[in-house]
Amino acid sequence: MSLHPFPYQLYLVISEADCIGKNFLEVAEQAILGGVDIIQLREKNDSTALFLQKAGKLIEITEKYGIPLIINDHLEVAEKVNSAGIHVGNNDTAPTFLRQQPSIQNKIIGYSIEHLAQLENKQTLVSDYLGISPVFKTNTKTDTITEWGLEGVAKIRQLTEKPLVAIGSIHLGNAKEVLNAGADCLAVVSAICGAADPQKAAYELKNEILK
């Protein structure tokens, strides 16, 4: 069961720390201008108040451009800023629980897949898209179990019809391979947040996707 079509192709996962000294709101806006069509704010270590403050500022930018804002595993922040959705991992709030919350039940719910057994649980069923995490090893996320690789993406593609969002050291050099393996959408962190010119980086990635 999925409530939402998933027309997005380039997904930015952003945090202030990943922008390495740049203003994360400016990075987000430049990324949108370059072609990012959905953004997730991931601030795992922030207090609720700080996360909420950042989300409130970011949603002003995403709404200006009609881009959905997804909040990483923080129900209260997602509710208060009225984000387009929420993304959770295997050890976070369960999608089945989120789907029962009046504030979230009609919104986008993303769920990270870190091992194949998850594809058979109810959480996958109620989610709108699956995050394949990580495709390749990454410094921004060190608590994951598997490195899926292209074979892993292809295998998951065979086992589910859900939209697949691939994340984990994806960049211009391997973007096409990940899509060809079966991903519907590419999620990036450092390829845009760490770029000298985030708009150009997003534009080049989007062009690669559209080729």
Side-chain angles (χ1 to χ4, degrees), residues 54-89:
K54 289 179 183 177
K57 289 177 181 171
L58 182 54
I59 203 162
E60 287 179 19
I61 294 167
T62 56
E63 286 186 340
K64 175 177 158 189
Y65 294 99
I67 298 291
L69 176 64
I70 305 295
I71 295 297
N72 183 274
D73 187 40
H74 203 306
L75 181 56
E76 187 182 341
V77 172
E79 286 175 335
K80 285 191 171 162
V81 299
N82 192 24
S83 66
I86 189 165
H87 184 92
V88 291

PDB file of all heavy atoms in Angstrom, residues 54-89:
ATOM      1  N   LYS A  54      15.533  24.834  12.593  1.00  0.00           N
ATOM      2  CA  LYS A  54      16.114  24.623  11.255  1.00  0.00           C
ATOM      3  C   LYS A  54      15.042  24.215  10.251  1.00  0.00           C
ATOM      4  O   LYS A  54      15.014  24.694   9.121  1.00  0.00           O
ATOM      5  CB  LYS A  54      17.196  23.540  11.323  1.00  0.00           C
ATOM      6  CG  LYS A  54      18.459  23.985  12.038  1.00  0.00           C
ATOM      7  CD  LYS A  54      19.465  22.840  12.088  1.00  0.00           C
ATOM      8  CE  LYS A  54      20.714  23.234  12.862  1.00  0.00           C
ATOM      9  NZ  LYS A  54      21.660  22.119  12.967  1.00  0.00           N
ATOM     10  N   ALA A  55      14.156  23.312  10.684  1.00  0.00           N
ATOM     11  CA  ALA A  55      13.091  22.821   9.786  1.00  0.00           C
ATOM     12  C   ALA A  55      12.150  23.962   9.395  1.00  0.00           C
ATOM     13  O   ALA A  55      11.708  24.052   8.244  1.00  0.00           O
ATOM     14  CB  ALA A  55      12.315  21.700  10.462  1.00  0.00           C
ATOM     15  N   GLY A  56      11.861  24.839  10.359  1.00  0.00           N
ATOM     16  CA  GLY A  56      10.981  25.976  10.077  1.00  0.00           C
ATOM     17  C   GLY A  56      11.553  26.904   9.023  1.00  0.00           C
ATOM     18  O   GLY A  56      10.839  27.419   8.159  1.00  0.00           O
ATOM     19  N   LYS A  57      12.869  27.099   9.079  1.00  0.00           N
ATOM     20  CA  LYS A  57      13.524  27.960   8.080  1.00  0.00           C
ATOM     21  C   LYS A  57      13.607  27.257   6.724  1.00  0.00           C
ATOM     22  O   LYS A  57      13.408  27.865   5.673  1.00  0.00           O
ATOM     23  CB  LYS A  57      14.930  28.335   8.551  1.00  0.00           C
ATOM     24  CG  LYS A  57      14.929  29.309   9.711  1.00  0.00           C
ATOM     25  CD  LYS A  57      16.353  29.591  10.183  1.00  0.00           C
ATOM     26  CE  LYS A  57      16.366  30.549  11.361  1.00  0.00           C
ATOM     27  NZ  LYS A  57      17.710  30.662  11.942  1.00  0.00           N
ATOM     28  N   LEU A  58      13.930  25.961   6.765  1.00  0.00           N
ATOM     29  CA  LEU A  58      14.092  25.217   5.511  1.00  0.00           C
ATOM     30  C   LEU A  58      12.776  25.077   4.764  1.00  0.00           C
ATOM     31  O   LEU A  58      12.733  25.173   3.538  1.00  0.00           O
ATOM     32  CB  LEU A  58      14.708  23.838   5.791  1.00  0.00           C
ATOM     33  CG  LEU A  58      14.992  22.951   4.583  1.00  0.00           C
ATOM     34  CD1 LEU A  58      15.862  23.673   3.546  1.00  0.00           C
ATOM     35  CD2 LEU A  58      15.667  21.648   5.021  1.00  0.00           C
ATOM     36  N   ILE A  59      11.675  24.881   5.492  1.00  0.00           N
ATOM     37  CA  ILE A  59      10.392  24.658   4.805  1.00  0.00           C
ATOM     38  C   ILE A  59       9.925  25.935   4.086  1.00  0.00           C
ATOM     39  O   ILE A  59       9.212  25.864   3.085  1.00  0.00           O
ATOM     40  CB  ILE A  59       9.320  24.084   5.758  1.00  0.00           C
ATOM     41  CG1 ILE A  59       8.244  23.357   4.941  1.00  0.00           C
ATOM     42  CG2 ILE A  59       8.720  25.158   6.674  1.00  0.00           C
ATOM     43  CD1 ILE A  59       7.386  22.394   5.720  1.00  0.00           C
ATOM     44  N   GLU A  60      10.379  27.076   4.553  1.00  0.00           N
ATOM     45  CA  GLU A  60      10.056  28.325   3.826  1.00  0.00           C
ATOM     46  C   GLU A  60      10.665  28.278   2.428  1.00  0.00           C
ATOM     47  O   GLU A  60      10.059  28.728   1.451  1.00  0.00           O
ATOM     48  CB  GLU A  60      10.601  29.543   4.579  1.00  0.00           C
ATOM     49  CG  GLU A  60       9.815  29.885   5.839  1.00  0.00           C
ATOM     50  CD  GLU A  60      10.393  31.083   6.578  1.00  0.00           C
ATOM     51  OE1 GLU A  60      11.161  31.870   5.954  1.00  0.00           O
ATOM     52  OE2 GLU A  60      10.083  31.240   7.771  1.00  0.00           O
ATOM     53  N   ILE A  61      11.874  27.735   2.340  1.00  0.00           N
ATOM     54  CA  ILE A  61      12.552  27.638   1.041  1.00  0.00           C
ATOM     55  C   ILE A  61      11.911  26.558   0.180  1.00  0.00           C
ATOM     56  O   ILE A  61      11.618  26.781  -0.994  1.00  0.00           O
ATOM     57  CB  ILE A  61      14.053  27.350   1.244  1.00  0.00           C
ATOM     58  CG1 ILE A  61      14.712  28.558   1.927  1.00  0.00           C
ATOM     59  CG2 ILE A  61      14.742  27.039  -0.083  1.00  0.00           C
ATOM     60  CD1 ILE A  61      16.101  28.289   2.464  1.00  0.00           C
ATOM     61  N   THR A  62      11.673  25.379   0.760  1.00  0.00           N
ATOM     62  CA  THR A  62      11.112  24.279  -0.051  1.00  0.00           C
ATOM     63  C   THR A  62       9.714  24.635  -0.554  1.00  0.00           C
ATOM     64  O   THR A  62       9.363  24.340  -1.696  1.00  0.00           O
ATOM     65  CB  THR A  62      11.083  22.954   0.740  1.00  0.00           C
ATOM     66  OG1 THR A  62      10.361  23.131   1.954  1.00  0.00           O
ATOM     67  CG2 THR A  62      12.483  22.454   1.037  1.00  0.00           C
ATOM     68  N   GLU A  63       8.927  25.311   0.276  1.00  0.00           N
ATOM     69  CA  GLU A  63       7.562  25.677  -0.158  1.00  0.00           C
ATOM     70  C   GLU A  63       7.590  26.745  -1.243  1.00  0.00           C
ATOM     71  O   GLU A  63       6.756  26.746  -2.144  1.00  0.00           O
ATOM     72  CB  GLU A  63       6.730  26.142   1.041  1.00  0.00           C
ATOM     73  CG  GLU A  63       6.332  24.960   1.919  1.00  0.00           C
ATOM     74  CD  GLU A  63       5.378  25.311   3.047  1.00  0.00           C
ATOM     75  OE1 GLU A  63       5.291  26.505   3.408  1.00  0.00           O
ATOM     76  OE2 GLU A  63       4.731  24.375   3.565  1.00  0.00           O
ATOM     77  N   LYS A  64       8.573  27.621  -1.172  1.00  0.00           N
ATOM     78  CA  LYS A  64       8.719  28.659  -2.203  1.00  0.00           C
ATOM     79  C   LYS A  64       8.877  28.030  -3.594  1.00  0.00           C
ATOM     80  O   LYS A  64       8.398  28.556  -4.591  1.00  0.00           O
ATOM     81  CB  LYS A  64       9.954  29.515  -1.850  1.00  0.00           C
ATOM     82  CG  LYS A  64      10.344  30.565  -2.859  1.00  0.00           C
ATOM     83  CD  LYS A  64      11.528  31.367  -2.313  1.00  0.00           C
ATOM     84  CE  LYS A  64      12.323  32.045  -3.395  1.00  0.00           C
ATOM     85  NZ  LYS A  64      13.569  32.637  -2.878  1.00  0.00           N
ATOM     86  N   TYR A  65       9.562  26.875  -3.630  1.00  0.00           N
ATOM     87  CA  TYR A  65       9.818  26.208  -4.924  1.00  0.00           C
ATOM     88  C   TYR A  65       8.913  25.000  -5.159  1.00  0.00           C
ATOM     89  O   TYR A  65       9.070  24.299  -6.159  1.00  0.00           O
ATOM     90  CB  TYR A  65      11.281  25.761  -4.989  1.00  0.00           C
ATOM     91  CG  TYR A  65      12.254  26.912  -5.021  1.00  0.00           C
ATOM     92  CD1 TYR A  65      12.908  27.327  -3.859  1.00  0.00           C
ATOM     93  CD2 TYR A  65      12.520  27.609  -6.204  1.00  0.00           C
ATOM     94  CE1 TYR A  65      13.796  28.388  -3.872  1.00  0.00           C
ATOM     95  CE2 TYR A  65      13.407  28.673  -6.228  1.00  0.00           C
ATOM     96  CZ  TYR A  65      14.041  29.057  -5.058  1.00  0.00           C
ATOM     97  OH  TYR A  65      14.926  30.121  -5.080  1.00  0.00           O
ATOM     98  N   GLY A  66       8.003  24.724  -4.229  1.00  0.00           N
ATOM     99  CA  GLY A  66       7.100  23.571  -4.404  1.00  0.00           C
ATOM    100  C   GLY A  66       7.814  22.238  -4.269  1.00  0.00           C
ATOM    101  O   GLY A  66       7.463  21.258  -4.937  1.00  0.00           O
ATOM    102  N   ILE A  67       8.824  22.186  -3.408  1.00  0.00           N
ATOM    103  CA  ILE A  67       9.619  20.966  -3.207  1.00  0.00           C
ATOM    104  C   ILE A  67       9.200  20.326  -1.882  1.00  0.00           C
ATOM    105  O   ILE A  67       9.128  21.010  -0.860  1.00  0.00           O
ATOM    106  CB  ILE A  67      11.127  21.334  -3.144  1.00  0.00           C
ATOM    107  CG1 ILE A  67      11.604  21.954  -4.454  1.00  0.00           C
ATOM    108  CG2 ILE A  67      11.984  20.137  -2.755  1.00  0.00           C
ATOM    109  CD1 ILE A  67      11.664  21.021  -5.618  1.00  0.00           C
ATOM    110  N   PRO A  68       8.934  19.008  -1.847  1.00  0.00           N
ATOM    111  CA  PRO A  68       8.559  18.385  -0.575  1.00  0.00           C
ATOM    112  C   PRO A  68       9.728  18.344   0.411  1.00  0.00           C
ATOM    113  O   PRO A  68      10.854  18.050   0.025  1.00  0.00           O
ATOM    114  CB  PRO A  68       8.154  16.960  -0.959  1.00  0.00           C
ATOM    115  CG  PRO A  68       8.295  16.849  -2.425  1.00  0.00           C
ATOM    116  CD  PRO A  68       8.920  18.081  -2.966  1.00  0.00           C
ATOM    117  N   LEU A  69       9.431  18.646   1.674  1.00  0.00           N
ATOM    118  CA  LEU A  69      10.415  18.515   2.740  1.00  0.00           C
ATOM    119  C   LEU A  69      10.068  17.283   3.572  1.00  0.00           C
ATOM    120  O   LEU A  69       8.944  17.149   4.057  1.00  0.00           O
ATOM    121  CB  LEU A  69      10.430  19.750   3.647  1.00  0.00           C
ATOM    122  CG  LEU A  69      11.379  19.653   4.853  1.00  0.00           C
ATOM    123  CD1 LEU A  69      12.839  19.559   4.402  1.00  0.00           C
ATOM    124  CD2 LEU A  69      11.196  20.831   5.803  1.00  0.00           C
ATOM    125  N   ILE A  70      11.049  16.408   3.717  1.00  0.00           N
ATOM    126  CA  ILE A  70      10.912  15.198   4.532  1.00  0.00           C
ATOM    127  C   ILE A  70      11.746  15.408   5.793  1.00  0.00           C
ATOM    128  O   ILE A  70      12.876  15.889   5.717  1.00  0.00           O
ATOM    129  CB  ILE A  70      11.428  13.959   3.755  1.00  0.00           C
ATOM    130  CG1 ILE A  70      10.724  13.811   2.390  1.00  0.00           C
ATOM    131  CG2 ILE A  70      11.271  12.689   4.594  1.00  0.00           C
ATOM    132  CD1 ILE A  70       9.246  13.532   2.437  1.00  0.00           C
ATOM    133  N   ILE A  71      11.197  15.041   6.931  1.00  0.00           N
ATOM    134  CA  ILE A  71      11.923  15.156   8.199  1.00  0.00           C
ATOM    135  C   ILE A  71      12.431  13.771   8.591  1.00  0.00           C
ATOM    136  O   ILE A  71      11.678  12.791   8.543  1.00  0.00           O
ATOM    137  CB  ILE A  71      11.001  15.715   9.307  1.00  0.00           C
ATOM    138  CG1 ILE A  71      10.572  17.151   8.986  1.00  0.00           C
ATOM    139  CG2 ILE A  71      11.677  15.637  10.681  1.00  0.00           C
ATOM    140  CD1 ILE A  71      11.681  18.180   8.925  1.00  0.00           C
ATOM    141  N   ASN A  72      13.703  13.702   8.984  1.00  0.00           N
ATOM    142  CA  ASN A  72      14.262  12.416   9.387  1.00  0.00           C
ATOM    143  C   ASN A  72      13.861  12.091  10.824  1.00  0.00           C
ATOM    144  O   ASN A  72      14.211  12.816  11.757  1.00  0.00           O
ATOM    145  CB  ASN A  72      15.789  12.462   9.269  1.00  0.00           C
ATOM    146  CG  ASN A  72      16.419  11.132   9.604  1.00  0.00           C
ATOM    147  OD1 ASN A  72      16.692  10.829  10.751  1.00  0.00           O
ATOM    148  ND2 ASN A  72      16.627  10.311   8.593  1.00  0.00           N
ATOM    149  N   ASP A  73      13.110  11.024  10.979  1.00  0.00           N
ATOM    150  CA  ASP A  73      12.737  10.424  12.262  1.00  0.00           C
ATOM    151  C   ASP A  73      12.524  11.397  13.421  1.00  0.00           C
ATOM    152  O   ASP A  73      13.173  11.267  14.467  1.00  0.00           O
ATOM    153  CB  ASP A  73      13.794   9.385  12.674  1.00  0.00           C
ATOM    154  CG  ASP A  73      13.334   8.630  13.929  1.00  0.00           C
ATOM    155  OD1 ASP A  73      12.144   8.310  14.019  1.00  0.00           O
ATOM    156  OD2 ASP A  73      14.155   8.393  14.819  1.00  0.00           O
ATOM    157  N   HIS A  74      11.620  12.347  13.222  1.00  0.00           N
ATOM    158  CA  HIS A  74      11.245  13.187  14.367  1.00  0.00           C
ATOM    159  C   HIS A  74       9.788  13.601  14.174  1.00  0.00           C
ATOM    160  O   HIS A  74       9.493  14.573  13.489  1.00  0.00           O
ATOM    161  CB  HIS A  74      12.155  14.409  14.479  1.00  0.00           C
ATOM    162  CG  HIS A  74      12.189  14.974  15.872  1.00  0.00           C
ATOM    163  ND1 HIS A  74      11.029  15.334  16.556  1.00  0.00           N
ATOM    164  CD2 HIS A  74      13.218  15.222  16.732  1.00  0.00           C
ATOM    165  CE1 HIS A  74      11.352  15.787  17.761  1.00  0.00           C
ATOM    166  NE2 HIS A  74      12.677  15.718  17.893  1.00  0.00           N
ATOM    167  N   LEU A  75       8.910  12.826  14.784  1.00  0.00           N
ATOM    168  CA  LEU A  75       7.474  13.018  14.596  1.00  0.00           C
ATOM    169  C   LEU A  75       7.037  14.432  14.987  1.00  0.00           C
ATOM    170  O   LEU A  75       6.286  15.079  14.265  1.00  0.00           O
ATOM    171  CB  LEU A  75       6.710  11.956  15.408  1.00  0.00           C
ATOM    172  CG  LEU A  75       5.182  11.986  15.323  1.00  0.00           C
ATOM    173  CD1 LEU A  75       4.715  11.883  13.884  1.00  0.00           C
ATOM    174  CD2 LEU A  75       4.581  10.849  16.156  1.00  0.00           C
ATOM    175  N   GLU A  76       7.539  14.909  16.128  1.00  0.00           N
ATOM    176  CA  GLU A  76       7.109  16.235  16.611  1.00  0.00           C
ATOM    177  C   GLU A  76       7.501  17.343  15.640  1.00  0.00           C
ATOM    178  O   GLU A  76       6.704  18.237  15.334  1.00  0.00           O
ATOM    179  CB  GLU A  76       7.721  16.498  17.989  1.00  0.00           C
ATOM    180  CG  GLU A  76       7.196  17.769  18.635  1.00  0.00           C
ATOM    181  CD  GLU A  76       7.839  18.068  19.982  1.00  0.00           C
ATOM    182  OE1 GLU A  76       8.425  17.148  20.603  1.00  0.00           O
ATOM    183  OE2 GLU A  76       7.775  19.229  20.410  1.00  0.00           O
ATOM    184  N   VAL A  77       8.723  17.266  15.119  1.00  0.00           N
ATOM    185  CA  VAL A  77       9.175  18.287  14.160  1.00  0.00           C
ATOM    186  C   VAL A  77       8.344  18.193  12.877  1.00  0.00           C
ATOM    187  O   VAL A  77       7.890  19.216  12.349  1.00  0.00           O
ATOM    188  CB  VAL A  77      10.682  18.132  13.861  1.00  0.00           C
ATOM    189  CG1 VAL A  77      11.120  19.062  12.727  1.00  0.00           C
ATOM    190  CG2 VAL A  77      11.509  18.422  15.116  1.00  0.00           C
ATOM    191  N   ALA A  78       8.127  16.980  12.393  1.00  0.00           N
ATOM    192  CA  ALA A  78       7.326  16.787  11.170  1.00  0.00           C
ATOM    193  C   ALA A  78       5.925  17.375  11.346  1.00  0.00           C
ATOM    194  O   ALA A  78       5.382  18.025  10.442  1.00  0.00           O
ATOM    195  CB  ALA A  78       7.255  15.306  10.823  1.00  0.00           C
ATOM    196  N   GLU A  79       5.330  17.145  12.522  1.00  0.00           N
ATOM    197  CA  GLU A  79       3.978  17.658  12.789  1.00  0.00           C
ATOM    198  C   GLU A  79       3.971  19.183  12.852  1.00  0.00           C
ATOM    199  O   GLU A  79       3.119  19.833  12.252  1.00  0.00           O
ATOM    200  CB  GLU A  79       3.467  17.098  14.122  1.00  0.00           C
ATOM    201  CG  GLU A  79       3.081  15.640  14.050  1.00  0.00           C
ATOM    202  CD  GLU A  79       2.692  15.055  15.415  1.00  0.00           C
ATOM    203  OE1 GLU A  79       3.152  15.573  16.468  1.00  0.00           O
ATOM    204  OE2 GLU A  79       1.938  14.081  15.430  1.00  0.00           O
ATOM    205  N   LYS A  80       4.932  19.734  13.601  1.00  0.00           N
ATOM    206  CA  LYS A  80       4.896  21.183  13.850  1.00  0.00           C
ATOM    207  C   LYS A  80       5.167  22.008  12.602  1.00  0.00           C
ATOM    208  O   LYS A  80       4.617  23.097  12.451  1.00  0.00           O
ATOM    209  CB  LYS A  80       5.868  21.550  14.967  1.00  0.00           C
ATOM    210  CG  LYS A  80       5.311  21.143  16.332  1.00  0.00           C
ATOM    211  CD  LYS A  80       6.101  21.724  17.488  1.00  0.00           C
ATOM    212  CE  LYS A  80       5.371  21.462  18.807  1.00  0.00           C
ATOM    213  NZ  LYS A  80       6.255  21.613  19.966  1.00  0.00           N
ATOM    214  N   VAL A  81       6.045  21.522  11.716  1.00  0.00           N
ATOM    215  CA  VAL A  81       6.293  22.311  10.490  1.00  0.00           C
ATOM    216  C   VAL A  81       5.376  21.877   9.354  1.00  0.00           C
ATOM    217  O   VAL A  81       5.389  22.458   8.281  1.00  0.00           O
ATOM    218  CB  VAL A  81       7.776  22.244  10.021  1.00  0.00           C
ATOM    219  CG1 VAL A  81       8.708  22.794  11.073  1.00  0.00           C
ATOM    220  CG2 VAL A  81       8.179  20.846   9.591  1.00  0.00           C
ATOM    221  N   ASN A  82       4.571  20.844   9.607  1.00  0.00           N
ATOM    222  CA  ASN A  82       3.673  20.297   8.583  1.00  0.00           C
ATOM    223  C   ASN A  82       4.455  19.905   7.326  1.00  0.00           C
ATOM    224  O   ASN A  82       4.156  20.340   6.214  1.00  0.00           O
ATOM    225  CB  ASN A  82       2.563  21.301   8.247  1.00  0.00           C
ATOM    226  CG  ASN A  82       1.460  20.663   7.423  1.00  0.00           C
ATOM    227  OD1 ASN A  82       1.266  19.448   7.454  1.00  0.00           O
ATOM    228  ND2 ASN A  82       0.742  21.467   6.655  1.00  0.00           N
ATOM    229  N   SER A  83       5.491  19.095   7.540  1.00  0.00           N
ATOM    230  CA  SER A  83       6.329  18.656   6.416  1.00  0.00           C
ATOM    231  C   SER A  83       5.541  17.721   5.503  1.00  0.00           C
ATOM    232  O   SER A  83       4.484  17.204   5.876  1.00  0.00           O
ATOM    233  CB  SER A  83       7.570  17.934   6.941  1.00  0.00           C
ATOM    234  OG  SER A  83       7.201  16.722   7.585  1.00  0.00           O
ATOM    235  N   ALA A  84       6.101  17.493   4.314  1.00  0.00           N
ATOM    236  CA  ALA A  84       5.436  16.609   3.347  1.00  0.00           C
ATOM    237  C   ALA A  84       5.499  15.154   3.784  1.00  0.00           C
ATOM    238  O   ALA A  84       4.742  14.316   3.306  1.00  0.00           O
ATOM    239  CB  ALA A  84       6.079  16.763   1.977  1.00  0.00           C
ATOM    240  N   GLY A  85       6.443  14.855   4.704  1.00  0.00           N
ATOM    241  CA  GLY A  85       6.564  13.470   5.133  1.00  0.00           C
ATOM    242  C   GLY A  85       7.675  13.279   6.143  1.00  0.00           C
ATOM    243  O   GLY A  85       8.278  14.242   6.637  1.00  0.00           O
ATOM    244  N   ILE A  86       7.942  12.007   6.418  1.00  0.00           N
ATOM    245  CA  ILE A  86       8.933  11.635   7.425  1.00  0.00           C
ATOM    246  C   ILE A  86       9.683  10.406   6.924  1.00  0.00           C
ATOM    247  O   ILE A  86       9.110   9.571   6.209  1.00  0.00           O
ATOM    248  CB  ILE A  86       8.230  11.371   8.782  1.00  0.00           C
ATOM    249  CG1 ILE A  86       9.227  11.204   9.929  1.00  0.00           C
ATOM    250  CG2 ILE A  86       7.271  10.190   8.705  1.00  0.00           C
ATOM    251  CD1 ILE A  86       8.573  11.305  11.319  1.00  0.00           C
ATOM    252  N   HIS A  87      10.970  10.331   7.249  1.00  0.00           N
ATOM    253  CA  HIS A  87      11.759   9.165   6.849  1.00  0.00           C
ATOM    254  C   HIS A  87      12.314   8.493   8.099  1.00  0.00           C
ATOM    255  O   HIS A  87      12.850   9.161   8.979  1.00  0.00           O
ATOM    256  CB  HIS A  87      12.930   9.568   5.937  1.00  0.00           C
ATOM    257  CG  HIS A  87      13.687   8.377   5.435  1.00  0.00           C
ATOM    258  ND1 HIS A  87      13.381   7.773   4.240  1.00  0.00           N
ATOM    259  CD2 HIS A  87      14.687   7.654   5.992  1.00  0.00           C
ATOM    260  CE1 HIS A  87      14.181   6.712   4.088  1.00  0.00           C
ATOM    261  NE2 HIS A  87      14.977   6.621   5.147  1.00  0.00           N
ATOM    262  N   VAL A  88      12.173   7.173   8.154  1.00  0.00           N
ATOM    263  CA  VAL A  88      12.653   6.437   9.322  1.00  0.00           C
ATOM    264  C   VAL A  88      13.517   5.256   8.909  1.00  0.00           C
ATOM    265  O   VAL A  88      13.381   4.716   7.811  1.00  0.00           O
ATOM    266  CB  VAL A  88      11.468   5.923  10.199  1.00  0.00           C
ATOM    267  CG1 VAL A  88      10.758   7.089  10.870  1.00  0.00           C
ATOM    268  CG2 VAL A  88      10.483   5.087   9.387  1.00  0.00           C
ATOM    269  N   GLY A  89      14.404   4.875   9.822  1.00  0.00           N
ATOM    270  CA  GLY A  89      15.250   3.716   9.604  1.00  0.00           C
ATOM    271  C   GLY A  89      14.718   2.516  10.361  1.00  0.00           C
ATOM    272  O   GLY A  89      13.684   2.579  11.034  1.00  0.00           O
TER     273      GLY A  89
END
